[in-house]
Amino acid sequence: MGRAANNCHGWNPGAEVMAFSPSPRPAILVLTPIAHLRTVSSSLDSIGQVTTEANLSRVEFLSSQRFANVLFTNPNSSRFRLDAEVLDNVAGLQIVCTASTGTDHIDLNYCRLRNITVLSLKSEVSFLRSVTATAELAVTLSLSLMRNVFPAAASVRNGEWGYLPFLGQQVSSSRVGVLGLGRLGSIYARAMSAMGAEISYFDPNVNPRNDYHAAKSVEALFAATDLVSVHVHLDQSTTNLISRDVLKKAKDGFILINTSRGEVVDETELVGYLKAHPASKYGTDVLRDERLGPEQSAIWHFMHITSQVLITPHIGGMTIESQSAAFLRAVELLRGELKTIRQ
């Protein structure tokens, strides 16, 4: 297993690998809030000396050098990417442990160059089957937009009482597309199918399914459905996957749901599409460059002048049950890695 060639005075490319010793215990710097997860806090305390510095900005983090053998993180609350400059600012660093399947908040190439081990939940297939929160949020966003829940509730708050402006779509009469039929996409598809939706999907990485219709392309999926929910990992092949060419296949009244990553959608093109199709809607839990703040996002700005957009602040996996389970699983991966290093 890879180890970082660090020493307690900072990164030195010529230094020998620093080994963990029984005393003091490994230093763990936690960059994500865990105070509300007491079991997670106590579990981390049992394997190392824990310091928590959650919600720091990039400038604050880089204002002084840090020392840690382990960085423990999660992308939902990260305000900066763990890139070369950030990683070089942590003396003694050997492991980055993220309580997530996604790793786009970490510079994996630089970690390989530095021989820093990266632990994530991406390969924890059996465990992840029990973590359904993000797919549940995708269903919630879908139903909220199909039934105009939030503008209807706002009208009542304003003293109004009328249904005509809020006529919606019935799930059992809808054609629903799933972009990415992996774990979360499959959970979402089952839920929408159980309510009677006709399910289509596009995913070149899965075997054909007899229970759903397989679209031949992303464009074909958008052309054949009333709603598409996105469930793909972010990489070079999926960045700006939802492009102008894809959006022009979508009809007026189309609904797009994104609980994946903001960078999967070309937000500038999406704003143009929504302006041209006032009956269409976008429900998202993620924004482009969200670590820099929502004001970096074109769709966030558009939200302020339209009722077509519903945004939640990356709460997909943020239920007590799923967050506790994911963080505890990440701690156990870290515990196993530390045991390996000590041997």
Side-chain angles (χ1 to χ4, degrees):
M1 189 66 68
R3 302 178 187 175
N6 296 6
N7 60 34
C8 62
H9 301 294
W11 169 240
N12 180 353
E16 294 183 358
V17 172
M18 182 189 72
F20 284 108
S21 58
S23 181
R25 297 186 300 162
I28 303 173
L29 179 56
V30 180
L31 300 178
T32 186
I34 60 170
H36 62 295
L37 303 171
R38 294 183 179 179
T39 305
V40 175
S41 296
S42 60
S43 295
L44 279 172
D45 286 334
S46 72
I47 60 176
Q49 298 289 339
V50 178
T51 302
T52 300
E53 293 188 285
N55 299 316
L56 290 180
S57 68
R58 181 185 179 85
V59 171
E60 290 169 332
F61 187 86
L62 294 174
S63 64
S64 61
Q65 189 173 47
R66 314 286 167 169
F67 173 80
N69 303 123
V70 179
L71 291 181
F72 189 90
T73 187
N74 177 273
N76 292 65
S77 58
S78 177
R79 296 176 61 190
F80 54 89
R81 190 167 186 259
L82 301 184
D83 59 17
E85 185 179 15
V86 169
L87 295 169
D88 280 347
N89 193 51
V90 185
L93 183 61
Q94 292 185 260
I95 300 171
V96 174
C97 181
T98 180
S100 63
T101 55
T103 54
D104 57 288
H105 57 301
I106 304 167
D107 189 333
L108 298 180
N109 290 330
Y110 192 70
C111 285
R112 280 190 286 268
L113 179 66
R114 280 277 307 276
N115 216 19
I116 297 170
T117 298
V118 176
L119 304 176
S120 78
L121 303 179
K122 187 174 183 178
S123 299
E124 301 299 299
V125 178
S126 297
F127 161 75
L128 289 170
R129 291 194 184 101
S130 66
V131 182
T132 59
T134 300
E136 291 171 5
L137 180 65
V139 172
T140 302
L141 291 173
S142 300
L143 297 181
S144 296
L145 290 179
M146 294 177 79
R147 297 305 307 272
N148 300 305
V149 170
F150 285 93
S155 75
V156 175
R157 187 181 295 274
N158 291 331
E160 302 168 11
W161 191 258
Y163 68 85
L164 283 177
F166 313 112
L167 291 174
Q169 299 171 241
Q170 188 166 278
V171 176
S172 61
S173 301
S174 299
R175 300 169 301 166
V176 172
V178 183
L179 183 54
L181 201 64
R183 175 180 63 93
L184 292 173
S186 294
I187 296 170
Y188 175 86
R190 287 197 299 271
M192 298 299 280
S193 178
M195 289 184 280
E198 177 185 317
I199 303 296
S200 299
Y201 72 94
F202 177 74
D203 190 334
N205 300 311
V206 301
N207 294 324
R209 296 279 298 261
N210 294 326
D211 45 350
Y212 307 138
H213 172 72
K216 294 182 178 180
S217 66
V218 180
E219 291 84 356
L221 183 69
F222 273 62
T225 54
D226 305 305
L227 178 154
V228 165
S229 186
V230 181
H231 301 276
V232 299
H233 287 288
L234 178 64
D235 57 29
Q236 289 184 346
S237 69
T238 58
T239 299
N240 292 327
L241 180 63
I242 311 303
S243 62
R244 175 186 292 185
D245 289 341
V246 170
L247 290 168
K248 70 183 183 183
K249 299 294 184 180
K251 65 176 188 178
D252 191 26
F254 183 84
I255 297 174
L256 178 62
I257 304 296
N258 186 9
T259 54
S260 173
R261 287 292 186 268
E263 289 77 9
V264 171
V265 176
D266 187 326
E267 288 188 348
T268 301
E269 293 295 340
L270 178 60
V271 169
Y273 165 80
L274 291 172
K275 287 180 177 179
H277 299 83
S280 296
K281 302 166 191 171
Y282 181 49
T284 185
D285 188 44
V286 289
L287 297 175
R288 198 175 191 93
D289 296 323
E290 63 183 53
R291 294 182 200 91
L292 302 177
E295 62 276 1
Q296 304 294 321
S297 165
I299 203 70
W300 180 83
H301 285 283
F302 184 61
M303 175 194 69
H304 292 84
I305 61 171
T306 184
S307 61
Q308 293 170 263
V309 176
L310 174 60
I311 301 175
T312 52
H314 208 148
I315 61 172
M318 298 300 105
T319 64
I320 292 296
E321 297 86 356
S322 65
Q323 194 178 34
S324 296
F327 277 53
L328 285 172
R329 184 58 181 167
V331 172
E332 291 311 304
L333 291 177
L334 177 58
R335 189 190 304 275
E337 179 65 16
L338 293 175
K339 183 178 180 181
T340 299
I341 290 176
R342 288 178 183 277
Q343 292 176 347

